[in-house]
Amino acid sequence: MECCLHQPVDSHNVNEVINYLPSPLPVKHYDADTTEPISCSLQTLDELFSWKQTEAYPFNVAVVPLAAREPALSSCLQRTLVSHDMMGGYLDDRFVQGTAAEAPYAFYHWQHIDIFNYFTHNLVSIPPAVWTNAAHKHGVLVLGTFITEWSDGEATCEAFLREEELYCEVADKLVEMSRHYGFDGWLINIENTLSEVAVQKTPLFLRYLTNQMHERVPGSMVLWYDSVIENGELKWQNELNQSNRVFFDACDGFFTNYNWTAQNLERMTDNNLPTGRQADIYVGVDVFARGKVVGGMFKTHKALEIIRKYNFSAAIFAPGWVYETQKKTEFRHNQDKFWALLKGNLSIHRPAVTLPFVSSFCQGFGNAVYCKGKEIQPWYYHEQLDGHGWVRSRACPEDAWNGGCSLLLDGLIPATRTSAVCAKLFSLHVPLSNTLVSIVYKSSSEVTVSLELKITDAALRTDEQNRDVKLISVSPVLLHEEHELIRQFPHLHENKNTGWNIRYSKLDLQGCILREVCVNIQLIGEPCDTTFSCRMGEIMFLDIASLHEAPEMVQDFCISDIVWLRGAGASPHSTSCCLYLNATLQWGYPTELVRHFKVYWRQLKGPNPGMSAGEPVVVGRAYSKLYRITELAVLEPPGQLELLVEPVTWKGFQLPMSYWGRRSVSYSEID
């Protein structure tokens, strides 16, 4: 990236002389037509050896650290790994800043899985940052993939596995990439035959890579895929045995091939594994059901039932089958159906987070705004109530308070039910203090809506909290609209005539852990079979003490990598050739204090000397301190425009513009 430190910190203006030279940005990382940043893989060993952290692609760096979770992964004896293999990879997810795709694939059942592997058939698959950010928010590890296949793969392996210096260099590069891009390890998949020399070096390569990952990326993981055996022959075993045990012993885990039977699993239980290592065997399940497999497709749960019977972990390969082979318009329905069938054989973990906790229930896509799915996801389910009643939780893109969608709770309350329907929203681990709680919702007129929180004592040891301890239910008392705390949120009251209800509560529960967030839905009037709906727009838990903290200012705002383009106007009937600005913005700000950043622009001057400055217009959202503006149509030169960055804090209200980042760009053509 072209350095922008040459821009004087005391100057808010950048002077640009327009030229139309080809973009100097590498087409591997930036779209050739628009300069939009994109994620990609490495194809060759030469690319891997030439990779340098100082020259690495900045937009694919994950900004969300791996969240703690309860229970910890190390204490989970039946883990679940998802290997995301879809149509060659790097599809809509390659667009770092989002995409306008009408029906992109998304994964949001994070509480059910422990490890996410990004898989393609390229030599080195680096997970797009959008996946790493979303997974880390939920305490889920993310693994890239190092794969060799066929004759090309054989040549690659012979090239780097012939001597210690070379295989150590490959391992060091993989470690550096994991550290730089912020993900947690690798799946190693050697699916080609190996010479005697290469296969002897392979366990040494694995052990060195694993040790270096553990040393430099705490909590990381290296897995081996069931492929070659100890004599170098490519021969899938569908189990861990003496033919492939040498690879398992050199790393953190073993991912079996998919054509196993119950007999394979039974034999593995007699492997005399070290204590606790049975959890490190991930039995592969191909959701596409290719070959002679158990289950697959909407019968994948049958395979999981057998795997859990023998107390093994599971590796679910290509669950995007529900997207690739089914109607795109039915994607959410099929995704929820697929994971509901597996639910009985999946462990649940809770992300351990601290206040503030805010969610607008966005899955990362919708009809209005694409938010990258960086929020902790709620529970999605369809449950039967007593009698013939039911309650369902699902995402709804048709209406949202903030982001791409809201959470829709709907169902049928039978006439025989007198108590409220308790709909679970989140399973969490959040230490509480003196806390302000707000919810934003819409509901049908037949029901009332209230919040129910389930807590436990923070003094309990972690292992005690992880057991099925009795949770204490707390129903927060509503605050009046004129309460002094509520007056600090005027931006919410500006929206009170939109049909959304906004309710505030105050909790003083220091020394307690929030474990579950639920909504109670109570029927109004005489009992009768009643359908209901409740749309949740946002829920927020804030430490009241944080409301009095002074806001931070955006620092070191600069502009770099400016590219000017000429193209047709936005209107299909336009005959004029518009001028477009493309530029990278960078700034400094504590990201832990914000939900995201809003990027704006406005035209200050144009060729008409009499024009007045326009109002700031939103360009997009940024979830890191980096944003690429692309195809911004500006007035003909000479002109001046201003670019602005607004931090959107967890509290949600707007900071004064004096706290924003601001830079102006004066541009002219060559005389």
Side-chain angles (χ1 to χ4, degrees), residues 147-158 190 192-194:
I147 185 173
T148 61
E149 299 176 286
W150 312 108
S151 57
D152 287 346
E154 187 174 345
T156 296
C157 289
E158 296 306 314
I190 307 297
N192 48 257
T193 58
L194 296 174

Side-chain angles (χ1 to χ4, degrees), residues 80-84 113 255 258 283-287 300 304 314-319 338-339 342 346:
T80 303
L81 177 150
V82 158
S83 189
H84 175 65
I113 75 169
F255 183 147
Y258 313 105
V283 179
V285 181
D286 182 4
V287 178
T300 297
L304 222 58
I316 302 173
F317 187 76
F338 178 85
W339 287 95
L342 302 183
L346 298 173

Side-chain angles (χ1 to χ4, degrees), residues 106-385:
F107 179 79
Y108 45 85
H109 291 84
W110 294 104
Q111 70 270 27
H112 294 305
I113 75 169
D114 304 291
I115 304 159
F116 179 88
N117 163 235
Y118 195 80
F119 185 95
T120 76
H121 291 274
N122 301 319
L123 179 66
V124 179
S125 297
I126 301 168
V130 292
W131 287 112
T132 306
N133 287 332
H136 279 184
K137 194 81 170 177
H138 297 82
V140 173
L141 268 67
V142 176
L143 307 183
T145 302
F146 179 83
I147 185 173
T148 61
E149 299 176 286
W150 312 108
S151 57
D152 287 346
E154 187 174 345
T156 296
C157 289
E158 296 306 314
F160 84 90
L161 287 171
R162 67 176 187 264
E163 58 185 62
E164 180 179 3
E165 181 181 356
L166 289 171
Y167 73 66
C168 285
E169 184 177 359
V170 168
D172 288 339
K173 291 293 185 182
L174 295 178
V175 173
E176 288 177 29
M177 285 182 181
S178 181
R179 285 192 67 198
H180 178 75
Y181 291 118
F183 59 97
D184 311 295
W186 295 94
L187 170 67
I188 307 299
N189 187 355
I190 307 297
E191 292 203 76
N192 48 257
T193 58
L194 296 174
S195 68
E196 182 179 351
V197 171
V199 76
Q200 289 175 354
K201 295 289 195 297
T202 299
L204 303 178
F205 161 66
L206 269 180
R207 190 174 298 280
Y208 179 78
L209 171 62
T210 303
N211 289 341
Q212 290 300 305
M213 286 295 304
H214 290 177
E215 181 179 324
R216 301 179 65 188
V217 184
S220 59
M221 178 179 288
V222 176
L223 301 182
W224 172 261
Y225 179 69
D226 169 18
S227 49
V228 297
I229 55 178
E230 61 182 353
N231 67 1
E233 184 180 359
L234 178 59
K235 192 174 183 180
W236 299 272
Q237 299 293 290
N238 301 299
E239 65 179 34
L240 177 67
N241 56 33
Q242 289 307 311
S243 296
N244 50 35
R245 176 73 179 262
V246 63
F247 307 113
F248 173 68
D249 290 340
C251 66
D252 296 311
F254 186 85
F255 183 147
T256 79
N257 192 45
Y258 313 105
N259 302 114
W260 49 266
T261 65
Q263 288 72 32
N264 294 108
L265 305 192
E266 190 166 346
R267 281 197 294 269
M268 285 197 293
T269 60
D270 299 326
N271 262 338
N272 298 316
L273 297 172
T275 303
R277 287 227 72 184
Q278 186 158 336
D280 297 333
I281 300 175
Y282 298 82
V283 179
V285 181
D286 182 4
V287 178
F288 276 81
R290 290 163 284 206
K292 294 181 179 180
V293 301
V294 177
M297 300 186 232
F298 282 124
K299 295 181 180 179
T300 297
H301 61 286
K302 294 184 180 296
L304 222 58
E305 288 169 5
I306 299 174
I307 293 169
R308 299 313 195 202
K309 175 183 175 182
Y310 289 95
N311 293 315
F312 289 111
S313 295
I316 302 173
F317 187 76
W321 170 86
V322 299
Y323 180 85
E324 289 190 53
T325 66
Q326 309 296 303
K327 290 182 179 179
K328 301 296 187 289
T329 54
E330 295 294 317
F331 166 59
R332 280 189 176 92
H333 170 75
N334 289 319
Q335 173 102 313
D336 293 344
K337 174 184 175 181
F338 178 85
W339 287 95
L341 289 167
L342 302 183
K343 187 177 177 181
N345 290 288
L346 298 173
S347 300
I348 303 298
H349 72 266
R350 297 175 296 278
V353 298
T354 56
L355 297 178
F357 171 71
V358 180
S359 177
S360 58
F361 308 99
C362 182
Q363 289 183 342
F365 61 105
N367 294 343
V369 178
Y370 181 87
C371 293
K372 295 197 174 74
K374 246 187 64 175
E375 297 185 342
I376 290 178
Q377 290 298 300
W379 282 59
Y380 299 99
Y381 52 85
H382 188 297
E383 293 181 354
Q384 293 300 124
L385 303 176

Side-chain angles (χ1 to χ4, degrees), residues 27 30 41 88 108 111 141 168 239 246 319 325 382 386 399 428 440 478 510 526 560 567 589 592 611 626:
V27 294
Y30 298 87
S41 62
Y108 45 85
Q111 70 270 27
L141 268 67
C168 285
E239 65 179 34
V246 63
T325 66
H382 188 297
D386 47 291
D399 194 5
L428 301 162
V440 181
L478 291 176
Q510 299 190 48
E526 293 298 319
S560 62
Y589 200 87
E592 68 274 10
M611 76 162 287
L626 187 68

Side-chain angles (χ1 to χ4, degrees), residues 484-497:
E484 59 180 347
L485 287 174
I486 299 178
R487 290 180 180 176
Q488 298 185 50
F489 295 88
H491 70 293
L492 293 181
H493 297 290
E494 294 170 2
N495 297 281
K496 65 183 181 180
N497 294 322

Side-chain angles (χ1 to χ4, degrees), residues 33-53:
D33 295 325
T34 67
T35 78
E36 184 175 3
I38 51 178
S39 300
C40 64
S41 62
L42 302 184
Q43 306 279 351
T44 67
L45 206 54
D46 286 341
E47 278 188 88
L48 178 60
F49 283 142
S50 63
W51 186 89
K52 296 178 182 178
Q53 184 171 323

Side-chain angles (χ1 to χ4, degrees), residues 6 43 80 101 124 136 147 157 222 228 250 252 296 336 358 388 393 405 421 424 429 436 504 518 551 642 659:
H6 66 276
Q43 306 279 351
T80 303
V124 179
H136 279 184
I147 185 173
C157 289
V222 176
V228 297
D252 296 311
D336 293 344
V358 180
H388 54 279
S393 164
C405 56
V421 173
K424 184 189 290 188
H429 182 96
L436 179 66
Y504 296 91
C518 306
E642 186 176 34
Y659 288 86

